[in-house]
Amino acid sequence: MGRDVEQGAFSREDRVRYRQKVRRSLDVFALMLDDFGFDADRPMTGLEIELNLMDPAGEPAMRNEEILAAIADPLFQTELGQFNLELNAAPRLIEGSGFAEYEADLRSSLTRADERAAKSDARIVLVGILPTLTERHLVVDNLSTNERYRVLNDQIVGARGEDIELDIRGVERLQTHTDSIAPEAACTSLQFHLQVAPDSFADYWNASQAIAGVQVAIGANSPFLYGRQLWAETRIALFEQATDTRPDELKAQGVRPRVWFGERWITSIFDLFEENVRYFPPLLPICEDEDPVEVLHAGGVPKLSELRLHNGTVYRWNRPVYDIMDGRPHLRVENRVLPAGPTVVDMLANAAFYFGLARGLAESDRPIWSQLTFSSAEENFHAAARRGMDAVLHWPRLGDVPVAKLVLDTLLPTAATGLDRFGVDPAERDRLLGVIEQRCRTGRNGAVWQTEAVWAAERHRGMNREAALHHMARRYAELQRSNEPVHTWPVD
């Protein structure tokens, strides 16, 4: 939900009008899917990376407004917490040397931004959850100053009507309460965008859902929160709980959560937008002046602003996106399951694996979603978030299989085929998928490195947990700048 919001209080009339506009937009969207020309000739990709700001002591640096002004680059935006930024890479094709171009641009942008941040006594860290965050950091006063975050906080907390409970049981347990959505700011993600044609959207979304657990297991990078070791990818549980608008009674009634894996395979992108409208009351009932019916009848491209805003307040792990670029509408799958980091090359390896595997499965003769139950895909997702590289996932014809074996024996060849169909340079394909291969062979991703580094600091250096986390965070930030993949990082 990236739009600026100035309105803080909404009337009953606002909500009624907004609901009517959303439904009108949904009807127009259905008509467009039937006979409108969507841009899908040469599918573009995109990347969004959420960033952390850390001071020299390893503490979160609450200085994003100051640092953003110093960076002065429209590709960088605010995020929820004052210790967060977001970097939006310029969209591009991945054929040929597209990944190498992504890497060069990202490294250049991050280096320049880090230089500006250093003048404010901070550095940029790519990690799923900054390991030194504590409850005193994640409070409403540390939300970014952009009013949209305050409004969103008020609407979510108001809808729930009581404090938000966090209860995450992993290697250790975290049980606490919060009176705001500020803990969500700890969740810094890596998001992939893949432009697809309307008639193939369902195949790509279903494929993305099927592989979400695999992605999380091999890309996990968020093992610590509030000083406790929890899940390999704690970000999943934290995001699901920190934005939950449902009190216990609504949970018991089966009301859907706004952070949602979903509940079924789909046959059209319309299924997802229709579910959003049917199941979720509006959080931000802000209406535009556009009449989408009039625009469509006049031969224009409707913005469908209300439908898009509503879609942005339903936090699917694979989100459908309707957008307009250069006057032409297009559709995207927004893959949101992965954490940021550890390095640019690690993130691009994750990107190559996702884009290739999604295409390989979406275009297969026998769809994976015809063989895997949706409930199994969801169970895989949460098992992967809990156990990371140690996860055992269910896969058709293989049964329960360790994730590393599944990737090495079955999924990497499919990802390579998908990248070939995109026209990716073979050397780039092999370089990036090679990072995934070595991660699986060594059993080492970002979460494994973080936990081993903390254990080493506690056992070999005699540090307590707090000191070990700060030591690890500073070491992580140093190694990150090498751009060597995390499976090669030394622990001590």
Side-chain angles (χ1 to χ4, degrees), residues 210-394:
I211 63 176
V214 178
Q215 287 182 269
V216 169
I218 64 174
N221 195 30
S222 313
F224 293 101
L225 177 66
Y226 293 177
R228 294 174 177 84
Q229 183 185 347
L230 300 170
W231 293 8
E233 189 48 42
T234 304
R235 193 184 110 265
I236 300 298
L238 178 60
F239 192 49
E240 289 177 341
Q241 294 182 23
T243 54
D244 198 340
T245 58
R246 306 167 302 160
D248 290 343
E249 294 81 3
L250 293 185
K251 294 178 188 178
Q253 293 173 34
V255 172
R256 280 84 173 172
R258 293 193 91 99
V259 179
W260 198 29
F261 189 81
E263 60 192 19
R264 62 181 174 128
W265 305 119
I266 64 168
T267 58
S268 166
I269 187 175
F270 185 81
D271 295 346
L272 301 177
F273 280 96
E274 193 271 337
E275 284 181 348
N276 289 353
V277 174
R278 179 153 40 107
Y279 294 144
F280 300 102
L283 282 181
L284 301 169
I286 302 167
C287 290
E288 304 287 348
D289 294 332
E290 175 191 80
D291 184 332
V293 175
E294 290 183 1
V295 173
L296 186 65
H297 287 167
V301 179
K303 294 180 181 177
L304 307 182
S305 299
E306 294 81 12
L307 186 65
R308 291 161 69 187
L309 177 59
H310 187 57
N311 183 54
T313 63
V314 179
Y315 304 99
R316 295 179 184 270
W317 292 109
N318 283 292
R319 176 186 276 165
V321 176
Y322 165 85
D323 207 349
I324 302 168
M325 182 72 70
D326 298 327
R328 292 192 65 186
H330 68 263
L331 306 176
R332 302 194 304 266
V333 177
E334 183 180 88
N335 178 258
R336 302 157 50 83
V337 305
L338 285 173
T343 64
V344 170
V345 73
D346 280 305
M347 292 189 294
L348 288 173
N350 290 338
F353 184 65
Y354 168 70
F355 290 134
L357 188 54
R359 182 160 187 173
L361 292 177
E363 297 180 357
S364 63
D365 293 333
R366 188 180 178 195
I368 186 67
W369 53 96
S370 70
Q371 309 167 63
L372 182 71
T373 66
F374 195 89
S375 60
S376 291
E378 183 173 14
E379 288 166 8
N380 283 346
F381 179 65
H382 286 100
R386 287 186 179 92
R387 297 190 53 80
M389 294 298 300
D390 291 330
V392 174
L393 307 184
H394 184 78

Side-chain angles (χ1 to χ4, degrees), residues 5-208:
V5 174
E6 296 180 357
Q7 189 171 354
F10 302 105
S11 67
R12 295 178 181 179
E13 291 76 14
D14 290 333
R15 296 183 184 280
V16 170
R17 181 167 178 255
Y18 181 81
R19 181 176 286 110
Q20 292 170 343
K21 285 290 298 285
V22 167
R23 290 175 176 170
R24 190 173 179 86
S25 295
L26 185 66
D27 291 341
V28 169
F29 186 54
L31 294 173
M32 294 177 69
L33 290 173
D34 285 340
D35 57 13
F36 209 89
F38 285 82
D39 187 5
D41 299 334
R42 302 184 73 200
M44 300 289 283
T45 66
L47 300 177
E48 294 180 28
I49 310 170
E50 294 169 350
L51 315 170
N52 288 278
L53 298 170
M54 189 179 80
D55 70 17
E59 292 276 303
M62 306 293 177
R63 299 170 201 147
N64 67 349
E65 189 170 8
E66 171 188 340
I67 291 169
L68 197 62
I71 294 172
D73 183 340
L75 294 178
F76 287 85
Q77 303 290 331
T78 58
E79 251 299 330
L80 182 60
Q82 291 183 28
F83 59 95
N84 301 142
L85 295 175
E86 180 178 276
L87 169 58
N88 295 277
R92 70 187 69 230
L93 300 169
I94 56 172
E95 66 183 27
S97 59
F99 282 113
E101 293 165 9
Y102 262 134
E103 185 168 4
D105 285 356
L106 288 172
R107 293 192 69 187
S108 175
S109 293
L110 288 167
T111 297
R112 187 171 60 253
D114 212 25
E115 291 170 352
R116 304 294 193 281
K119 296 179 181 178
S120 296
D121 213 22
R123 62 197 317 182
I124 289 173
V125 181
L126 307 167
V127 66
I129 294 176
L130 191 65
T132 55
L133 284 168
T134 66
E135 290 182 85
R136 66 183 172 84
H137 298 125
L138 297 176
V139 295
V140 70
D141 287 345
N142 286 336
L143 294 180
S144 291
T145 57
N146 190 310
E147 187 61 23
R148 74 172 184 255
Y149 300 121
R150 307 281 172 159
V151 174
L152 186 63
N153 175 74
D154 292 346
Q155 294 301 305
I156 289 177
V157 174
R160 186 179 175 95
E162 58 189 46
D163 282 357
I164 296 169
E165 181 182 14
L166 302 179
D167 188 357
I168 305 174
R169 307 180 191 198
V171 177
E172 299 167 348
R173 183 178 182 183
L174 171 66
Q175 190 173 26
T176 187
H177 289 80
T178 175
D179 62 359
S180 76
I181 64 168
E184 182 195 336
C187 305
T188 40
S189 67
L190 168 65
Q191 300 174 18
F192 303 135
H193 293 250
L194 179 58
Q195 185 178 328
V196 294
D199 59 358
S200 61
F201 183 93
D203 293 343
Y204 277 89
W205 187 85
N206 288 341
S208 297

